[in-house]
Amino acid sequence: MKGIVDDAMHILDVFRFLGGEVTRVMARLDRLNPVIAGEDKALVLCDFANGASGLWDADRYHPAEAEDPRYTFGAFRIEGSEGALVLSEDGDLRLVTPRGQVETVPYHHEKKGFAGDCVYHTLAHFTRALADGQPHELTGADYLRTLALVEAVYASNETQSWRDAG
Protein backbone atom coordinates (compact mmCIF):
# COMPACT_ATOMS: atom_id res chain seq x y z
CA MET A 1 0.00 0.00 0.00
CA LYS A 2 1.37 3.36 -0.97
CA GLY A 3 0.33 6.41 1.06
CA ILE A 4 0.23 8.90 -1.80
CA VAL A 5 -2.67 7.05 -3.43
CA ASP A 6 -4.85 7.66 -0.38
CA ASP A 7 -4.22 11.39 0.00
CA ALA A 8 -2.82 12.57 -3.31
CA MET A 9 -5.96 11.68 -5.24
CA HIS A 10 -7.81 14.40 -3.33
CA ILE A 11 -5.06 17.01 -3.44
CA LEU A 12 -4.41 16.44 -7.14
CA ASP A 13 -8.17 16.67 -7.81
CA VAL A 14 -8.12 20.09 -6.12
CA PHE A 15 -5.07 21.10 -8.18
CA ARG A 16 -6.88 20.11 -11.38
CA PHE A 17 -10.09 21.87 -10.30
CA LEU A 18 -8.29 25.13 -9.49
CA GLY A 19 -5.46 25.14 -12.04
CA GLY A 20 -6.72 23.04 -14.94
CA GLU A 21 -5.01 20.05 -16.45
CA VAL A 22 -1.54 19.12 -15.22
CA THR A 23 0.89 18.43 -18.06
CA ARG A 24 3.89 17.07 -16.14
CA VAL A 25 5.11 16.37 -12.62
CA MET A 26 8.35 16.06 -10.65
CA ALA A 27 8.03 14.17 -7.38
CA ARG A 28 10.09 13.19 -4.36
CA LEU A 29 8.38 10.77 -1.99
CA ASP A 30 9.79 9.51 1.27
CA ARG A 31 8.95 7.32 4.24
CA LEU A 32 10.08 8.73 7.57
CA ASN A 33 8.09 6.38 9.82
CA PRO A 34 9.71 2.93 9.53
CA VAL A 35 6.64 1.05 10.78
CA ILE A 36 4.32 2.03 7.92
CA ALA A 37 4.27 0.46 4.47
CA GLY A 38 3.74 3.62 2.42
CA GLU A 39 5.32 7.01 2.19
CA ASP A 40 4.43 9.77 4.64
CA LYS A 41 6.21 12.68 2.95
CA ALA A 42 5.73 14.12 -0.53
CA LEU A 43 7.10 17.01 -2.51
CA VAL A 44 5.37 17.28 -5.89
CA LEU A 45 5.83 20.02 -8.47
CA CYS A 46 3.15 20.28 -11.17
CA ASP A 47 3.18 22.19 -14.45
CA PHE A 48 -0.26 23.12 -15.76
CA ALA A 49 -1.38 23.43 -19.38
CA ASN A 50 -2.09 27.15 -18.81
CA GLY A 51 1.53 27.84 -17.79
CA ALA A 52 0.94 27.91 -14.03
CA SER A 53 2.88 25.83 -11.52
CA GLY A 54 1.76 24.10 -8.33
CA LEU A 55 3.69 22.73 -5.40
CA TRP A 56 2.39 20.16 -2.94
CA ASP A 57 4.55 19.79 0.16
CA ALA A 58 3.04 17.19 2.48
CA ASP A 59 4.31 15.58 5.65
CA ARG A 60 2.29 13.23 7.84
CA TYR A 61 5.22 12.33 10.07
CA HIS A 62 5.81 15.60 11.90
CA PRO A 63 2.93 16.93 14.01
CA ALA A 64 0.88 19.81 12.62
CA GLU A 65 0.62 23.08 14.49
CA ALA A 66 -3.16 23.37 14.19
CA GLU A 67 -5.51 22.73 17.09
CA ASP A 68 -7.29 20.14 14.90
CA PRO A 69 -4.78 18.94 12.29
CA ARG A 70 -7.41 16.80 10.53
CA TYR A 71 -9.69 19.79 9.84
CA THR A 72 -7.87 21.15 6.78
CA PHE A 73 -4.92 18.72 6.61
CA GLY A 74 -2.53 21.66 6.30
CA ALA A 75 -2.40 25.10 4.77
CA PHE A 76 -3.14 25.92 1.14
CA ARG A 77 -1.88 28.94 -0.79
CA ILE A 78 -2.80 30.12 -4.29
CA GLU A 79 -0.61 32.89 -5.68
CA GLY A 80 -1.44 35.13 -8.61
CA SER A 81 -0.60 38.54 -10.01
CA GLU A 82 -3.21 40.25 -7.80
CA GLY A 83 -2.15 38.57 -4.56
CA ALA A 84 -2.38 35.28 -2.70
CA LEU A 85 -5.36 33.45 -1.27
CA VAL A 86 -4.32 31.61 1.89
CA LEU A 87 -6.29 28.92 3.73
CA SER A 88 -4.79 28.36 7.18
CA GLU A 89 -4.64 25.04 9.03
CA ASP A 90 -7.49 26.33 11.20
CA GLY A 91 -9.73 27.08 8.21
CA ASP A 92 -9.32 30.87 8.12
CA LEU A 93 -9.21 32.31 4.60
CA ARG A 94 -7.19 35.46 3.83
CA LEU A 95 -6.31 37.51 0.79
CA VAL A 96 -2.77 38.91 0.86
CA THR A 97 -2.02 41.67 -1.66
CA PRO A 98 1.39 42.13 -3.31
CA ARG A 99 1.86 45.12 -0.95
CA GLY A 100 1.33 42.92 2.10
CA GLN A 101 -2.19 44.02 3.00
CA VAL A 102 -4.19 41.19 4.56
CA GLU A 103 -7.95 40.89 4.27
CA THR A 104 -10.05 38.15 5.85
CA VAL A 105 -12.33 36.44 3.33
CA PRO A 106 -15.59 35.41 4.98
CA TYR A 107 -17.05 32.04 4.03
CA HIS A 108 -19.17 29.43 5.77
CA HIS A 109 -17.28 26.53 7.31
CA GLU A 110 -17.91 24.43 10.37
CA LYS A 111 -15.55 22.44 12.52
CA LYS A 112 -17.78 19.41 12.84
CA GLY A 113 -17.57 15.82 11.79
CA PHE A 114 -14.49 14.64 9.93
CA ALA A 115 -12.65 17.53 8.24
CA GLY A 116 -15.65 19.84 8.40
CA ASP A 117 -17.98 17.10 7.21
CA CYS A 118 -16.39 17.01 3.74
CA VAL A 119 -16.93 13.26 3.42
CA TYR A 120 -20.57 13.60 4.49
CA HIS A 121 -21.19 16.34 1.90
CA THR A 122 -19.45 14.37 -0.85
CA LEU A 123 -21.53 11.26 -0.15
CA ALA A 124 -24.72 13.33 0.14
CA HIS A 125 -24.04 14.85 -3.29
CA PHE A 126 -23.35 11.40 -4.74
CA THR A 127 -26.54 9.84 -3.36
CA ARG A 128 -28.72 12.84 -4.36
CA ALA A 129 -27.38 12.74 -7.91
CA LEU A 130 -27.85 8.98 -8.07
CA ALA A 131 -31.43 9.18 -6.75
CA ASP A 132 -32.33 12.07 -9.08
CA GLY A 133 -30.63 10.59 -12.15
CA GLN A 134 -28.38 13.65 -12.38
CA PRO A 135 -24.69 13.65 -13.32
CA HIS A 136 -22.12 13.65 -10.54
CA GLU A 137 -19.77 16.58 -10.06
CA LEU A 138 -16.80 14.34 -10.91
CA THR A 139 -17.04 11.83 -13.72
CA GLY A 140 -15.28 8.53 -14.21
CA ALA A 141 -13.13 10.24 -16.86
CA ASP A 142 -12.09 12.86 -14.26
CA TYR A 143 -11.14 10.09 -11.85
CA LEU A 144 -9.06 8.32 -14.50
CA ARG A 145 -7.18 11.55 -15.36
CA THR A 146 -6.36 12.06 -11.68
CA LEU A 147 -5.34 8.41 -11.33
CA ALA A 148 -2.98 8.83 -14.31
CA LEU A 149 -1.54 11.86 -12.54
CA VAL A 150 -0.96 9.81 -9.37
CA GLU A 151 0.81 7.17 -11.47
CA ALA A 152 2.97 9.91 -13.02
CA VAL A 153 3.90 11.05 -9.48
CA TYR A 154 5.10 7.54 -8.63
CA ALA A 155 6.97 7.20 -11.92
CA SER A 156 8.67 10.56 -11.37
CA ASN A 157 9.74 9.53 -7.89
CA GLU A 158 11.21 6.27 -9.20
CA THR A 159 13.19 7.94 -11.99
CA GLN A 160 13.80 11.27 -10.24
CA SER A 161 12.82 13.01 -13.46
CA TRP A 162 9.92 14.98 -14.92
CA ARG A 163 7.06 12.77 -16.09
CA ASP A 164 4.22 13.58 -18.43
CA ALA A 165 0.95 13.60 -16.57
CA GLY A 166 -0.87 11.39 -19.02
Side-chain angles (χ1 to χ4, degrees), residues 85 92-96 101-107:
L85 192 60
D92 297 323
L93 191 60
R94 298 180 314 282
L95 178 63
V96 182
Q101 298 162 311
V102 179
E103 176 184 330
T104 298
V105 178
Y107 76 104

Side-chain angles (χ1 to χ4, degrees), residues 30-41:
D30 213 345
R31 183 180 63 157
L32 302 176
N33 185 343
V35 300
I36 65 170
E39 58 280 336
D40 51 10
K41 185 167 180 55

Side-chain angles (χ1 to χ4, degrees), residues 15-23 46-54:
F15 270 37
R16 290 184 56 241
F17 176 78
L18 295 173
E21 292 304 327
V22 176
T23 57
C46 298
D47 282 349
F48 292 87
N50 63 12
S53 296

Side-chain angles (χ1 to χ4, degrees), residues 127-157:
T127 54
R128 273 193 313 272
L130 195 60
D132 296 341
Q134 299 297 315
H136 296 96
E137 187 171 334
L138 291 174
T139 66
D142 289 323
Y143 178 81
L144 290 175
R145 280 193 290 277
T146 303
L147 185 58
L149 186 52
V150 170
E151 290 174 354
V153 165
Y154 277 115
S156 172
N157 182 64

Side-chain angles (χ1 to χ4, degrees), residues 60 64 66-75 87-93 107-119:
R60 295 192 96 188
E67 180 181 320
D68 180 2
R70 294 177 63 83
Y71 181 55
T72 64
F73 289 91
L87 177 67
S88 75
E89 288 185 345
D90 293 320
D92 297 323
L93 191 60
Y107 76 104
H108 177 77
H109 64 102
E110 297 179 87
K111 293 183 180 180
K112 68 177 193 176
F114 173 74
D117 261 355
C118 65
V119 174

Side-chain angles (χ1 to χ4, degrees), residues 1-7 36-39 154:
M1 176 67 174
K2 297 184 177 185
I4 195 104
V5 171
D6 293 337
D7 296 329
I36 65 170
E39 58 280 336
Y154 277 115

